[in-house]
Amino acid sequence: MTLYAVNIQTLKTQVEAALGDMVQSSVVKWGELTIVVKAADYFQAATVLKEHPDCQFEQLIDLCGIDYSTYKDEPQVGLRFCAVLHLLSVSLNQRIRLKVFASDDEAPVLRSVCDIWSSANWFEREAFDLYGIVFEGHDDLRRILTDYGFIGHPFRKDFPLSGHVEMRYDAEQKRVVYQPVTIEPREITPRIIREENYGGLPQAQ
């Protein structure tokens, strides 16, 4: 028997009913449903989404971090760090996006969902490594993409492009050493988008 996905508005209604007051917002855009829940309700909401008969999202396809901070003259609106989960129900042939914001910008912490979806393991490690989001209850929360001696979290918007330290192999010491970054930051503007007389150079015709 072939299963067909329910109408997106029907899915929205069913998910809202299953989660109840845990839903902060529920939006359908570009044919996809996005649900936002509070950090305090995150683990319970994830459990409901997996186990409720109208949801049955038994597979976690992806989990990533987001830094919503802004720059220059546009102040940050709302909380800064967010985890975004993409869930799939093979049983009911439906998908959903679940978002949760860490309640503290200075020390972002969320509950691990590894006990619900084991596939969250490496995804949560990646979000910790790149954004500094700590997932409480994770059995092995350590860096997964950057070096063990790496300082900071490189996907944060305030992280410098050149980083803080660099490493190299020292032939005399016969080991890898860390040192301050020696790259001098410089502006490189592609010629095709330069303003008129940029740097005193004539525009290409």
Side-chain angles (χ1 to χ4, degrees), residues 2 34 41 43 50 91 97 102 117 126 146 179:
T2 303
T34 300
D41 298 326
F43 190 83
K50 181 179 181 181
S91 303
R97 180 186 296 111
W117 299 287
E126 180 182 79
T146 61
Q179 62 190 38

Side-chain angles (χ1 to χ4, degrees), residues 38-40 78-82 100-110:
K38 294 181 179 178
L79 295 170
R80 177 177 178 181
F81 295 104
C82 175
V100 55
F101 286 84
S103 56
D104 186 348
D105 290 348
E106 297 301 319
V109 178
L110 294 171

Side-chain angles (χ1 to χ4, degrees), residues 123-180:
F123 290 134
E124 289 181 348
R125 285 181 59 187
E126 180 182 79
F128 162 70
D129 191 359
L130 301 181
Y131 292 94
I133 301 173
V134 173
F135 292 89
E136 284 187 329
H138 194 290
D139 292 336
D140 187 23
L141 194 63
R142 57 193 167 93
R143 294 188 182 273
I144 191 171
L145 295 176
T146 61
D147 183 72
Y148 292 119
F150 196 89
I151 297 174
H153 304 282
F155 276 20
R156 289 189 175 189
K157 291 183 179 177
D158 54 4
F159 189 84
L161 291 178
S162 58
H164 297 290
V165 298
E166 64 184 28
M167 68 178 212
R168 63 178 177 82
Y169 180 77
D170 189 292
E172 293 183 359
Q173 300 183 51
K174 299 189 184 311
R175 67 180 181 89
V176 172
V177 297
Y178 295 88
Q179 62 190 38

Side-chain angles (χ1 to χ4, degrees), residues 9-173:
Q9 293 296 335
T10 301
L11 175 61
K12 182 176 185 292
T13 300
Q14 292 176 341
V15 169
E16 288 175 349
L19 293 178
D21 294 339
M22 290 185 286
V23 177
Q24 274 195 302
S25 70
S26 175
V27 177
V28 173
K29 193 171 184 179
W30 297 309
E32 297 181 344
L33 173 61
T34 300
I35 299 291
V36 180
V37 299
K38 294 181 179 178
D41 298 326
Y42 173 45
F43 190 83
Q44 181 182 355
T47 302
V48 170
L49 289 173
K50 181 179 181 181
E51 298 178 354
H52 193 282
D54 289 335
C55 301
Q56 298 187 48
F57 293 103
E58 61 269 271
Q59 289 193 17
L60 171 68
I61 301 300
D62 187 27
L63 182 155
C64 65
I66 295 180
D67 178 358
Y68 277 97
S69 63
T70 55
Y71 290 95
K72 298 182 180 179
D73 297 328
E74 298 183 12
Q76 178 183 337
V77 177
L79 295 170
R80 177 177 178 181
F81 295 104
C82 175
V84 182
L85 291 72
H86 290 90
L87 307 176
L88 168 67
S89 170
V90 176
S91 303
L92 301 179
N93 189 22
Q94 56 194 22
R95 296 172 183 264
I96 192 175
R97 180 186 296 111
L98 176 64
K99 296 176 68 174
V100 55
F101 286 84
S103 56
D104 186 348
D105 290 348
E106 297 301 319
V109 178
L110 294 171
R111 175 78 181 271
S112 172
V113 291
C114 285
D115 290 341
I116 302 174
W117 299 287
S118 59
S119 59
N121 191 325
W122 282 17
F123 290 134
E124 289 181 348
R125 285 181 59 187
E126 180 182 79
F128 162 70
D129 191 359
L130 301 181
Y131 292 94
I133 301 173
V134 173
F135 292 89
E136 284 187 329
H138 194 290
D139 292 336
D140 187 23
L141 194 63
R142 57 193 167 93
R143 294 188 182 273
I144 191 171
L145 295 176
T146 61
D147 183 72
Y148 292 119
F150 196 89
I151 297 174
H153 304 282
F155 276 20
R156 289 189 175 189
K157 291 183 179 177
D158 54 4
F159 189 84
L161 291 178
S162 58
H164 297 290
V165 298
E166 64 184 28
M167 68 178 212
R168 63 178 177 82
Y169 180 77
D170 189 292
E172 293 183 359
Q173 300 183 51

